């Protein structure tokens, strides 16, 4: 009987977590030339969209664009062309973080951020290194512009799952910090 109570308590805790994104929107941009051309399936977008929706964010299906400048265009549309109060609170990209010549997602993201948070990417590298040495080849960036948090995930399903594992437990603190709704308490 105590097991059932624990399961119920856990379900209640999960329900509270789902409310994190309530009243907020999120967006997912997939940088994949082959998926944009219809030559390959987008395997990471659905994972990221499902994750954000499960956290309560109003999230449309992923936008799939070619690597390179189209990523910059998609980011500028969300972070510059959209009115500040209508911008997504969370923007996640996947792909374009490697070493190929058209892998430019980090460069386009960095130029739009007001402040970067490199520790988040470091934590994703550490998590990725548990399963593959190539995790450190991802050059993603993370940071904020206004009240929008932006982060670059790798283009692989494994990299996305590792990223979600790291960022999910930090998302509430990230959101309250960016929105300046956290009580920092007295400084000592």
């Amino acid at each position: 009987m105590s097991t059932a109570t624990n399961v119920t308590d856990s379900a209640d805790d999960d329900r509270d977590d789902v409310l994190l994104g309530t009243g907020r929107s999120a967006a997912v941009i997939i940088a994949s030339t082959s998926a944009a051309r219809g030559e390959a399936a987008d395997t990471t977008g659905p994972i990221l969209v499902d994750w954000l929706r499960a956290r309560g964010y109003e999230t449309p299906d992923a936008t799939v664009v070619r690597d390179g400048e189209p990523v910059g265009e998609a980011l500028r549309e969300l972070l510059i062309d959209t009115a500040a109060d209508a911008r997504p609170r969370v923007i996640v990209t996947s792909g374009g973080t490697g070493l190929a010549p058209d892998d430019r997602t980090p460069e386009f993201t960095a130029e739009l951020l007001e402040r970067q948070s490199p520790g988040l990417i470091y934590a994703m590298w550490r998590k990725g290194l548990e399963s593959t040495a190539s995790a450190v080849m991802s050059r993603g960036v993370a940071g904020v512009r206004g009240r929008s948090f932006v982060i670059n995930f790798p283009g692989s399903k494994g990299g996305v799952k590792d990223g979600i594992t790291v960022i999910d437990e930090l998302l509430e603190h990230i959101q309250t910090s960016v929105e300046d709704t956290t009580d920092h308490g007295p400084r000592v």
Side-chain angles (χ1 to χ4, degrees):
M1 188 169 256
S2 68
T3 304
T5 301
N6 290 341
V7 170
T8 303
D9 290 343
S10 177
D12 289 342
D13 290 344
D14 290 344
R15 198 172 312 117
D16 290 341
D17 289 344
V18 171
L19 300 177
L20 173 63
T22 299
R24 295 170 179 88
S25 64
V28 175
I29 300 170
I30 303 302
S32 171
T33 299
S34 60
R37 290 182 181 153
E39 299 167 356
D42 167 21
T43 59
T44 60
I47 296 168
L48 290 164
V49 168
D50 288 348
W51 166 55
L52 291 165
R53 286 177 181 167
R55 299 294 268 147
Y57 291 93
E58 183 180 316
T59 311
D61 290 341
T63 299
V64 180
V65 297
R66 291 184 337 271
D67 285 296
E69 179 57 35
V71 177
E73 291 170 9
L75 285 166
R76 283 189 294 279
E77 181 180 327
L78 293 172
L79 291 168
I80 304 292
D81 300 341
T82 301
D85 62 344
R87 292 178 188 153
R89 294 298 175 88
V90 177
I91 300 172
V92 180
T93 70
S94 174
T97 62
L99 300 175
D102 62 352
D103 284 343
R104 307 245 349 265
T105 300
E107 287 78 12
F108 290 116
T109 303
E111 73 183 23
L112 296 170
L113 297 177
E114 294 167 339
R115 295 178 314 281
Q116 289 192 32
S117 185
L120 296 172
I121 299 302
Y122 175 77
M124 288 175 30
W125 287 338
R126 285 191 57 179
K127 179 66 178 164
L129 281 171
E130 292 174 9
S131 45
T132 180
S134 65
V136 295
M137 292 175 60
S138 179
R139 302 176 308 105
V141 297
V144 296
R145 181 181 185 98
R147 295 183 352 164
S148 296
F149 168 67
V150 185
I151 188 163
N152 304 147
F153 281 27
S156 68
K157 283 172 61 174
V160 163
K161 290 176 181 178
D162 288 343
I164 288 171
T165 299
V166 170
I167 300 304
D168 190 61
E169 67 182 70
L170 300 170
L171 193 55
E172 182 172 7
H173 188 67
I174 291 167
Q175 181 178 289
T176 58
S177 295
V178 171
E179 294 176 357
D180 198 23
T181 56
T182 185
D183 179 13
H184 296 288
R187 304 284 185 211
V188 284

